[in-house]
Amino acid sequence: MKQYRLKRVVALITVVEGQFATFELPRGLDYESLTLRLSGSVVVSTGGTAVRAEAPCQLVPRVEISSNGQLTHYSAPLWHSVFTGHENAPNANRAKSPAVPPTAASAAAYAVEATGVINFNTPDGERPKDSNLATVGFTLFTLRLTFGQSASMFTGSAVSTFTGTVEVSTSELVEEVNADGSRTMPVLLKKVTTQEVAAASDTDSHEILLPSGNLFRSVLLRAEASTGEPTLTLLNKMRLESNNDVRVNLSAKALRYENAKTHGWLTDGYYLLDVARSGNFARLSELWDLSNQAQPKVISDLDGSSGQKVQAVVTEYIKLGK
């Protein structure tokens, strides 16, 4: 069956600090991905102490994509789509950083930029389009951006204002219809969700309960210090399990080296527990079927203290009917 791609800019959304914006995305085609490009100028009138890691992603603490007002396809902070290209094809160029932070925290004007890609398809899969998002029949297809404060890009007591936009662009696949009226349809629906759990004290049994009932691919953990920065000193060891079915049981350092081998180096403080990736490719036939399993969870050994936390971004798939 013939197919071709449509790549286009569909929106330019003005950032208003402390507010949110919604936009109805075009419907009717199969979405491969959505790209968000945050750009603009931050003017610091009272200097802070330092520029935070992941800046300027603090300006968008939540990105949500939903359909028909009820099904959430994606919900995560902007940093997830900007700094975690772990699903990229093995030959993807990771040499250039996807973010341009302020160059200092002193009083001045700084150009900033961050580009994140939200994949509905599975770029490292053997058949990436198996999980394209078919939007034909949707009555609503909504992008919601929650905006933070520009001062959160800095440590200390900075005072600042931001002027800029988020450019929204799509990559959509057009599947031409066969002579009998049929066309190729996705067989999986991808779903990405986020939760946050406090890590306020030392323990060897810190639990994060994960979604159950679907096909599990991965959970990305971001360890956060009390300063709000990602840290390498919080997590010591992680175990991914469902009752006696243990899929990952590694020290934090071993897991980061495993991540580097299969996905490339992740940002400090990020840890990826991925059950489908083998070498350069993900085998969706090896997704963890949790439809008849006990509650899945991540159990961690960690050195916690007041104000520390762990964020967990889960990627799962829902099998679609014929």
Side-chain angles (χ1 to χ4, degrees), residues 1-3 28-31 129 132-137 173-186:
M1 181 180 297
K2 291 183 179 180
Q3 61 184 38
L29 301 180
D30 294 356
Y31 274 64
K129 72 176 186 177
N132 282 354
L133 181 57
T135 63
V136 62
L173 194 65
V174 180
E175 294 274 6
E176 296 190 352
V177 178
N178 284 328
D180 62 2
S182 65
R183 74 178 187 94
T184 301
M185 293 292 291

Side-chain angles (χ1 to χ4, degrees), residues 1 9 65 72 81 94 116 129 133 142 158 162 187 200 225 270 280 306 309 316:
M1 181 180 297
V9 174
I65 301 170
T72 298
S81 61
R94 298 182 177 89
K129 72 176 186 177
L133 181 57
T142 309
F162 177 80
V187 297
Y270 293 11
N280 288 331
S306 178
K309 60 190 70 172
E316 57 183 331

Side-chain angles (χ1 to χ4, degrees), residues 279-290:
N280 288 331
F281 297 97
R283 292 179 170 85
L284 298 187
S285 60
E286 297 177 7
L287 294 172
W288 191 11
D289 187 351
L290 294 171

Side-chain angles (χ1 to χ4, degrees), residues 240-247 288 290 292-297:
L240 173 65
E241 67 172 42
S242 171
N243 201 1
N244 294 322
D245 186 352
V246 180
R247 296 300 174 103
W288 191 11
L290 294 171
N292 294 301
Q293 292 269 38
Q295 176 72 58
K297 61 184 73 173

Side-chain angles (χ1 to χ4, degrees), residues 74-319:
Y74 182 91
S75 178
L78 182 63
W79 60 256
H80 175 257
S81 61
V82 172
F83 290 108
T84 62
H86 52 271
E87 291 183 351
N88 287 340
N91 60 348
N93 180 11
R94 298 182 177 89
K96 187 178 186 299
S97 172
V100 178
T103 55
S106 54
Y110 304 97
V112 298
E113 182 178 332
T115 301
V117 179
I118 298 169
N119 292 310
F120 300 105
N121 68 356
T122 305
D124 60 348
E126 294 167 307
R127 278 177 49 92
K129 72 176 186 177
D130 276 351
S131 65
N132 282 354
L133 181 57
T135 63
V136 62
F138 283 6
T139 56
L140 296 170
F141 189 31
T142 309
L143 169 68
R144 177 184 168 113
L145 302 176
T146 300
F147 300 124
Q149 302 293 334
S150 59
S152 61
M153 285 189 262
F154 308 96
T155 60
S157 302
V159 177
S160 63
T161 57
F162 177 80
T163 303
T165 59
V166 176
E167 179 187 271
V168 183
S169 58
T170 67
S171 178
E172 300 161 74
L173 194 65
V174 180
E175 294 274 6
E176 296 190 352
V177 178
N178 284 328
D180 62 2
S182 65
R183 74 178 187 94
T184 301
M185 293 292 291
V187 297
L188 295 167
L189 177 69
K190 190 175 185 180
K191 186 176 173 67
V192 176
T193 54
T194 303
Q195 60 176 299
E196 185 175 275
V197 180
S201 60
D202 293 354
T203 179
D204 61 1
S205 57
H206 181 271
E207 287 193 1
I208 300 176
L209 302 182
L210 304 176
S212 60
N214 295 320
L215 301 171
F216 176 94
R217 169 164 179 176
S218 67
V219 55
L220 178 85
L221 302 180
R222 177 185 180 273
E224 184 175 304
S226 58
T227 59
E229 300 285 74
T231 178
L232 290 170
T233 62
L234 175 59
L235 293 171
N236 301 316
K237 186 177 180 180
M238 286 83 80
R239 186 168 76 250
L240 173 65
E241 67 172 42
S242 171
N243 201 1
N244 294 322
D245 186 352
V246 180
R247 296 300 174 103
V248 179
N249 188 6
L250 292 171
S251 69
K253 289 184 178 179
L255 181 58
R256 282 188 55 81
Y257 278 104
E258 170 72 17
N259 293 163
K261 181 180 72 174
T262 56
H263 299 83
W265 282 107
L266 300 181
T267 300
D268 286 354
Y270 293 11
Y271 305 85
L272 181 65
L273 293 79
D274 186 342
V275 302
R277 184 75 172 250
S278 176
N280 288 331
F281 297 97
R283 292 179 170 85
L284 298 187
S285 60
E286 297 177 7
L287 294 172
W288 191 11
D289 187 351
L290 294 171
S291 58
N292 294 301
Q293 292 269 38
Q295 176 72 58
K297 61 184 73 173
V298 175
I299 301 176
S300 301
D301 178 305
L302 54 79
D303 297 328
S305 63
S306 178
Q308 297 195 113
K309 60 190 70 172
V310 180
Q311 293 170 323
V313 184
V314 176
T315 299
E316 57 183 331
Y317 294 80
I318 299 170
K319 190 178 296 185

Side-chain angles (χ1 to χ4, degrees), residues 9-27:
V9 174
V10 297
L12 192 65
I13 299 172
T14 299
V15 175
V16 181
E17 295 183 50
Q19 302 296 314
F20 70 90
T22 60
F23 176 76
E24 285 301 317
L25 296 163
R27 306 184 300 274

